[in-house]
Each structure stands twice: as C-alpha cells, then as structure tokens.
Amino acid sequence: MDLNTVEAVVTPRRRDEVWPLGPDDAVLAGGTWLFSAPQPHLRRLVDVTGLGWPSITVSNNEIELSATCTLTELSALSTQLTRSRTDWPAAPLFHQCCTALLASYKIWSTATVGGNICLSFPAGAMISLTSALDGELVVWRPDGGDYRLPVTDFVTGSSANVLDLGDVLRSVHLPASALRARTAYRKIAPSPLGRSGVVVIGRRDAAEDGGRFVLSVTAATVRPFVFEFASVPSSAELVEARDTIPDDAWTDDAHGDPDWRRAMTLLLAEQVRAELS
Ligand SMILES: Cc1cc2nc3c(=O)[nH]c(=O)nc-3n(C[C@H](O)[C@H](O)[C@H](O)COP(=O)(O)OP(=O)(O)OC[C@H]3O[C@@H](n4cnc5c(N)ncnc54)[C@H](O)[C@@H]3O)c2cc1C
C-alpha cells in the first residue's frame, strides 16, 4: 500500500550516512511488512539495501548472513551447501525454515533475514533458524559502535526486541559447530497454508563438538526457547524442559490457542528426538 505520510526515502551508500534515525524514521529492507500496513507515524524511510552488504559469506568457521540477505538467497544456500560442504549436515535447515514463512516467490525474493528478525513476530521463521543454530547478531549503534548478542537474547517478546532507537541489525553469525550437527525440523499450523503455530527444531551436535542435543521452540512461544542436553534426552526430560516455559510465554493469537501449542510442542519434540536418536 502507499505510505502517504512518508516524505522521503533515502538510500545510504556508507555506514556514516545511515544516521540520524529518529522516531519518525524507519529502516527499510525488503519492505514486505512495512508496505503491508498503514504506518501513519513515519515520515522517512532509510533503505539499507543500498549499503552493498554481501548477502552470504561462508568460511570454515561460520556462515555470516547479512541482514539484507533475502529468503530466496537463503533457501538456495541449502542446495549449494549440500554440494560444497558435505561436512555440514545442517544445510537443509535453511530451506526448511524459509518454508515456514508461507509466501509467494515475490515475497521470498524481497523479504530479508534482518527484517524478519527485527519484526520479532513469534512466527519469525528466521528467528527459528538462527536460534536453532546458535546464531549471534551484530547490531550497529548510532554512535558508530557495535554490539553482539545471541538471537535468543535479542527477541524479548511478541514484536519486542532489544533494539534501541537508531540501532541497525547488520548481520547474523552461525558457527560451524552448529552446521556440523544433524538437525530435525517440524512445523505445524492450523491450516495447510497458515502461519506457523509451532516450530520445533532439534540439533544433535557431532561427537567432535561435544555431542549435545539442542531443542529450539519458536512460534509456539512469544520468544525463542532453547534447551540443551548433554545427549539425547529421555521423554521425561523433554516434558520437564517444556514445563519450564512460563504460562504467559505461550503465544495466544488467531493462529492457535496456548493449550494447543503447548501440547503440539511436546508431540513435535518427541518426533524430533526419535529422528535424531
Ligand atoms: C504473504 C506474507 C507472509 C508473511 N509471513 C510471515 C511469517 O510467517 N512470519 C513472519 O515473521 N513474518 C511474515 N511476514 C511478514 C514479513 O514480510 C516478513 O517477516 C519479512 O521477512 C520482513 O522482511 P522485510 O525485509 O520485508 O522487512 P521490512 O518490511 O523492510 O521491515 C520490517 C521491520 O523491520 C525493520 N528492519 C528491517 N531491517 C532492519 C535492520 N537491518 N535493522 C533494524 N531494523 C530493521 C523495519 O524498520 C520494519 O520495522 C509475511 C508477509 C507476507 C506479505
């Protein structure tokens, strides 16, 4: 839709041109959400896609995703890594998590990893991906400094995160130790093409990385919950972990009741456990 209160769209080419960013300004990435709803408080958009960040940088130690990496690019990474990095069995998870955001190819080719994380919706598919893979975020501050934090500390609630006015998400870092793990992915939604109600991802680290079992729960909860076990947990341990999620952290919206999400989380966690045993 037209954002008829917006008077200017600026496209910085260098880091120091991004600011000032005030309360009437918004960072513009793919714009798939910004242009989908009225934004009467906005006067100016600052388009970060002109900064020329490389979308994906693969090294032996990690994958760095720019905030401006699109879902189409990320999905293709699964195929590329399956061929080029046979030592990274987690490769299919990139495409699997993209499919948790059910949208047309036009949205996929525009929507960005950073936009998805910064919206901080419970059904944020990129939050599911990055919390399952020990993702850490780098955020640029308006004073020229940076800070780095786990994605699990970044999202604090439904549509809530730690970003201060003027902060810009720059990148996501996924360590090779998580990429060397086997993963299992489950998603359920009330309708076949519906928004995710529950996303559960299991990760079993390689023996060289300690052999941990990591379980992430997203969409069912207003912020990501990640549980770590020294090895594959028992059914009782899964129940115990699930029961540590506070009552008010279960998502309660049109895409599913908290009771249903709580029950489905355990069911999917059991499936993930069986697949990775
Ligand atoms: C058909 C359809 C289906 C969708 N399904 C889902 C879904 O299942 N789950 C879900 O979570 N969302 C969904 N969305 C919402 C949204 O389109 C996606 O979350 C998308 O990934 C947002 O990315 P974007 O680049 O388009 O963000 P934009 O619309 O450009 O920005 C979104 C918000 O993030 C801020 N922002 C963007 N980049 C940065 C940055 N680098 N630093 C700081 N702030 C930033 C913007 O200021 C804005 O507030 C859907 C949208 C459509 C149209």
Side-chain angles (χ1 to χ4, degrees), residues 27 29-34 101-102 111-112 115-116 118-119 121 123-124 169 195:
V27 171
T32 59
W33 178 80
L34 271 174
L101 195 149
L102 284 164
T112 65
N116 189 264
C118 291
L119 278 175
F121 291 161
L169 176 60
R195 182 165 284 201

Side-chain angles (χ1 to χ4, degrees), residues 211-247:
R212 282 180 316 163
F213 184 99
V214 178
L215 186 82
S216 86
V217 177
T218 48
T221 49
V222 294
R223 59 187 170 84
F225 282 82
V226 176
F227 302 98
E228 291 184 11
F229 305 88
S231 58
V232 178
S234 64
S235 295
E237 285 173 316
L238 281 186
V239 174
E240 208 177 304
R242 193 269 320 252
D243 288 350
T244 63
I245 298 175
D247 286 346

